[in-house]
Amino acid sequence: MQINEMKRLILTELSDLTDNSPTVYVTSNPVTGTRDEAIEKAMQAYWQRYFIDMVVLEACADAAIWPCAFFEVIWDPLELGGQGEVKVRVRPPQTLFPDSYATNDEDWRYVITQDVLDINEVRQRWPDQGWRVRPDASRPSDPMPMTMPMERPSGVGLLSPLYPVNAPVPTHGMDTRVAVITARIKDATLEVIPELLPDAEGVKRLRRTVRYKYPQGRYIVATSNVILYDGPMPYGDGFDLIRVTLQPTVHRFWPEKSIVGELLELQRASDKLESLVVENALRMQKLSCWLMPTRGLTAHLCRRARTGGPQTRRV
C-alpha cells in the first residue's frame, strides 16, 4: 500500500489558484479609457460556458509535473456545426519545440508543434491540399515502422465504422493517422511590390516598394510530404501559444526542474512513512492476544473490562 500525498497537495494548491474567475476589463479607447462592457460580458460568458477554469487547472498541473505548460488559443472552423469558434486548450509539453535560443515566450523567433490527426480530419480542415495527404507509413508516435513495405497497408487494423473497406478514403479497413507539423516563424523575408506612387510634381510613376512579406509572422502547416498551408499568421501579431510556469526561470526558457521533480525523493520518503503507519493500524485491527492461565486473567475480569468497570486487582 502506497499513499500519494504529493498528488493531494498539488491538487489542493492548484484548486486554490484556479477557484476564482478573473475579472476582465477591456478598453475600447486607450486615450479616454472607455470600457467596452459588451466585450467584457462576452469574455465572461465564454469563460463560464467552456469551463476555462478547468483548462487553467490542467495547465497548472502540467507546469507542476513538467517544467512548463502551454496554452493554445486557436480558431477551430469545425466547432459549432461548422460556424467556427475560439478554442482554448492545453498543449502537451512534449509536442512543442521552441526556439533553442529563446528565454521566454516573447523573444522566441519560432516554435514548432506536432499533432496526430486522422486523415479524414486533415481533409476537412484543409480541403484545398488535404486530398493529397496519404497515411503515414508508420504510427506517428513510434520511432520505428510498424510494418515493412509491401506487406500490408499502413496503420493498425480496427473493427470500427470509421474505417470501412469501402470508405471514400482508401484505408482498406485500417486506422490512418497523420503527423501534422505546424511552424510559427518570425520571418524577415522581404518582397518587392510595384506600385504607382506620385512624385514631387504629382505625376504617378511606377516604383518598387520593399517591405516585409510576413510582418505579423509566418504560419506553415505540413505533413510528411504535403504543405497544407504556407502564409501569414492567421491570428494577428504574435504566436497563439502562452507559456505557463510555476517556478522562476533564470535567463532560460525551461525551468531547471519542476516542483514535483525537486520534491519527489523527499515526498517518496514521507509517503513511505505514512504508508507504514496505515499498514500498522490495519494490522492492529486483527490483533490476537494469547495469555497463559497463570497470568490471573479470569472471565470475571474480562466481563468487567467490556462493561467499563474498574480493572484493578491485587497482585
Side-chain angles (χ1 to χ4, degrees), residues 74-89:
I74 63 173
W75 173 261
D76 192 344
L78 301 182
E79 289 289 330
L80 300 180
Q83 298 181 17
E85 176 64 290
V86 177
K87 193 172 184 179
V88 180
R89 62 185 182 183

Side-chain angles (χ1 to χ4, degrees), residues 102-212:
T103 59
N104 51 54
D105 56 354
E106 294 181 359
D107 63 355
W108 53 9
R109 299 290 303 174
Y110 70 87
V111 59
I112 300 172
T113 56
Q114 178 182 4
D115 297 282
V116 179
L117 304 178
D118 184 79
I119 190 172
N120 294 290
E121 185 177 357
V122 171
R123 298 186 177 188
Q124 279 184 308
R125 293 184 179 275
W126 297 279
D128 294 337
Q129 300 295 332
W131 62 273
R132 299 173 52 201
V133 177
R134 293 293 180 267
D136 291 341
S138 62
R139 184 185 295 232
S141 59
D142 291 343
M144 298 298 293
M146 295 184 61
T147 57
M148 296 300 294
M150 304 303 295
E151 288 186 356
R152 63 186 179 91
S154 63
V156 183
L158 294 177
L159 296 176
S160 169
L162 291 177
Y163 311 102
V165 179
N166 58 351
V169 181
T171 62
H172 301 285
M174 295 295 174
D175 179 12
T176 55
R177 303 285 172 172
V178 180
V180 179
I181 308 298
T182 305
R184 305 155 180 87
I185 308 170
K186 293 182 179 179
D187 198 327
T189 303
L190 300 175
E191 63 178 349
V192 179
I193 300 177
E195 291 182 334
L196 289 174
L197 299 176
D199 56 9
E201 299 178 354
V203 180
K204 291 186 176 181
R205 299 182 183 275
L206 185 63
R207 298 180 183 273
R208 295 188 303 174
T209 303
V210 181
R211 64 182 183 183
Y212 287 109

